[in-house]
Amino acid sequence: MSDNIDRLAAQIKLLQGELEAEFAIRRAKLRYTLQGKRAVFEEEILRAHRELRVSLAKYVFNANLMTVVTAPVIYGMIVPFVILDLTITLYQWICFPVYGIEKVKRSDYFIFDRAHLAYLNILEALNCAYCSYGNGLMAYAGEIAGRTEQYWCPIKHARKAVSAHQHYIGFADFGDAETFRKKYGHPERGQGK
């Protein structure tokens, strides 16, 4: 990478650290702490949260009709989600050791903490868990795909990638054959990792 790209990547990393610091400030204002992977609220805040919970009956009764009608469609996505989860996990278990790629730690991508919020009723908590699973799965699968791409085809696209994974920045520039061959060689000859 060029010095300018390295400098910009370092700035991005610095900004991400600043963003995390701001999130920590917001956590303090919302009066909870992280103890390991668990969020713990002060008792006074928990009481206030419980008072804001909408009963399940009221929640369902006041739901938009089209939301209720389309619920089976969104919940039906659990079938392809589970199939993707199983197949992408099996893929990395089988192929990553062969390629010498570090496996993606599944637990880093699946976070189910929102379902424990005291102001959510059971259906809202279920919805939050479902979204956590679906979005965690997409991020998990994206990281596995990104590591695979880094191994097999670490070349940037000619057009801007809308949502490039974290490995993309280190890929060879599109059309830079010389750098690609020097940096990555050919995976089947034992190079390119």
Side-chain angles (χ1 to χ4, degrees):
M1 284 191 286
S2 73
D3 290 340
N4 197 38
I5 291 173
D6 289 338
R7 181 185 58 75
L8 290 170
Q11 283 179 320
I12 290 169
K13 191 172 185 174
L14 181 67
L15 288 171
Q16 287 171 330
E18 288 180 30
L19 187 58
E20 283 303 315
E22 284 298 315
F23 289 151
I25 290 168
R26 290 189 59 114
R27 279 194 297 270
K29 286 181 182 176
L30 293 169
R31 296 169 57 191
Y32 73 92
T33 58
L34 290 175
Q35 294 178 1
K37 293 182 179 182
R38 187 175 171 88
V40 178
F41 285 94
E42 295 175 12
E43 191 57 41
E44 175 186 340
I45 300 299
L46 277 174
R47 272 194 301 278
H49 284 180
R50 286 185 198 105
E51 289 174 14
L52 291 171
R53 183 183 305 147
V54 175
S55 73
L56 181 60
K58 185 176 182 179
Y59 182 80
V60 172
F61 182 74
N62 291 325
N64 175 297
L65 178 62
M66 290 310 294
T67 300
V68 174
V69 170
T70 59
V73 176
I74 194 167
Y75 278 106
M77 290 299 298
I78 193 67
V79 174
F81 281 173
V82 169
I83 292 169
L84 175 62
D85 194 356
L86 292 172
T87 56
I88 199 84
T89 299
L90 185 63
Y91 158 71
Q92 84 157 341
W93 284 351
I94 293 169
C95 297
F96 277 21
V98 173
Y99 306 148
I101 301 172
E102 183 181 348
K103 288 182 189 163
V104 176
K105 188 176 176 186
R106 192 174 185 283
S107 62
D108 288 346
Y109 294 86
F110 293 89
I111 305 169
F112 295 99
D113 55 358
R114 295 182 291 202
H116 301 292
L117 290 167
Y119 53 87
L120 299 179
N121 63 43
I122 188 72
L123 187 54
E124 289 171 317
L126 177 66
N127 289 342
C128 282
Y130 186 72
C131 287
S132 293
Y133 178 70
N135 285 288
L137 176 61
M138 293 301 115
Y140 171 67
E143 179 61 19
I144 291 171
R147 291 183 189 188
T148 301
E149 184 179 28
Q150 182 180 29
Y151 180 84
W152 286 106
C153 191
I155 301 169
K156 291 182 179 106
H157 294 284
R159 294 182 13 217
K160 180 188 179 298
V162 173
S163 182
H165 51 76
Q166 65 177 341
H167 309 286
Y168 188 79
I169 196 168
F171 286 10
D173 289 328
F174 185 87
D176 188 353
E178 191 174 314
T179 297
F180 174 74
R181 284 291 168 223
K182 281 182 190 172
K183 190 172 180 182
Y184 298 104
H186 193 281
E188 293 174 355
R189 289 197 303 254
Q191 301 168 323
K193 292 181 195 170

